[in-house]
Structures are given as structure tokens and as C-alpha cells.
Amino acid sequence: MDDLLVVLGTFVFCVGSALIPVLHAEAYLVAATLIVPPELHWPLVVAAASGQMVGKVGMYLAGRGLLLLPGKRMADRIATATAKYREKGTLGSGLVFVSAAAGLPPFYIVSIAAGMLHFPLSRFVVLGFVGRAIRFAVAVFLPHLALG
């Protein structure tokens, strides 16, 4: 039962971290994987990537105008970023994947821009999940490789 709570807690934390940028999913995962048994490492990666994508779909829907974003400053930043993507044509699949995996440009902004630019939701979820899973697998397994 404790293992299930850890995995569910990871999912919930990562939903929150997708919406609130100061909650750092990678730091959480590094700390969590140092105290859980090795058989939980992959479930943590999947829970973290799934939680992040639930939150990022919320950001995508905010970009579509279905959810409200707090703060005028954030809305202005997103409008500026979206205008840049519109100038270049469309938001590409490669950009969504790289943003999800590497965090540059910030996946928070790309998620909202994807909604605003009507990037296909199913492609956004798949590319985002795979990118986030890669990113979180590095956060989970790299400390163990470094420690030997």
C-alpha cells in the first residue's frame, strides 16, 4: 500500500508542478528515488509524466480559451510567445517534443501556445508524454548512475 501511495503522490505532485512552475518535479523525483526501492523507479517516471501531462492539458485548454489564466502579466507573456509562433507558421511537433524533453523553450508556455494555435491535442499529449518521460527517466536514473 505504501508503494501505491508514493506513486499516487508523485502523480498528484506532478499535476501541481505542471500548473505551478515553482514546484520542481525533477527535484522531487531525485529525492523520491533515493528513498524508494528500485522497483518503483519506472512507476515513478510513468506517474510523473502522466501527472505532468494532465496539468499541461489544462494549460493547453487555457490556451484554447476554455480555462482562464491568472494574471495580466502571464497573459501578456503568452500572447507575445504565441505571436512569435504564428509568425513562423505553425507550432511544430519537434518543438513540442524538445520542449517537453529539454524544457527549452519552457513547456509551460509551449503548452498554452499549442492550445492557442490549435495544435492537435492527441499529438500534443503523445509528444509531451514521451518527452516528459525521457526527462523524468534521466532525473530518476542519473543520480543512481552517478552514485554507482
Side-chain angles (χ1 to χ4, degrees):
M1 185 56 144
D2 290 338
D3 293 349
L4 180 60
L5 289 176
V6 170
V7 173
L8 287 174
T10 299
F11 175 84
V12 170
F13 182 87
C14 288
V15 170
S17 73
L19 302 170
I20 305 166
V22 296
L23 297 177
H24 202 269
E26 291 83 354
Y28 171 90
L29 287 171
V30 168
T33 58
L34 293 174
I35 59 173
V36 299
E39 59 269 11
L40 280 185
H41 291 173
W42 279 112
L44 288 181
V45 169
V46 172
S50 299
Q52 276 272 304
M53 289 314 298
V54 167
K56 296 305 182 189
V57 166
M59 303 310 297
Y60 176 97
L61 295 174
R64 282 270 173 110
L66 299 174
L67 298 174
L68 294 178
L69 291 172
K72 176 153 175 45
R73 182 174 173 207
M74 179 60 76
D76 290 345
R77 292 169 107 189
I78 291 164
T80 301
T82 304
K84 286 181 185 177
Y85 292 124
R86 276 206 177 108
E87 287 172 10
K88 295 177 182 176
T90 61
L91 186 67
S93 297
L95 180 65
V96 172
F97 175 76
V98 169
S99 177
L104 291 172
F107 196 42
Y108 188 92
I109 300 294
V110 169
S111 299
I112 297 166
M116 292 176 89
L117 297 172
H118 299 277
F119 188 83
L121 179 60
S122 59
R123 191 177 327 160
F124 172 77
V125 171
V126 169
L127 293 169
F129 179 84
V130 172
R132 286 280 124 162
I134 291 168
R135 180 180 181 92
F136 295 149
V138 170
V140 166
F141 292 105
L142 190 61
H144 295 283
L145 292 174
L147 294 173

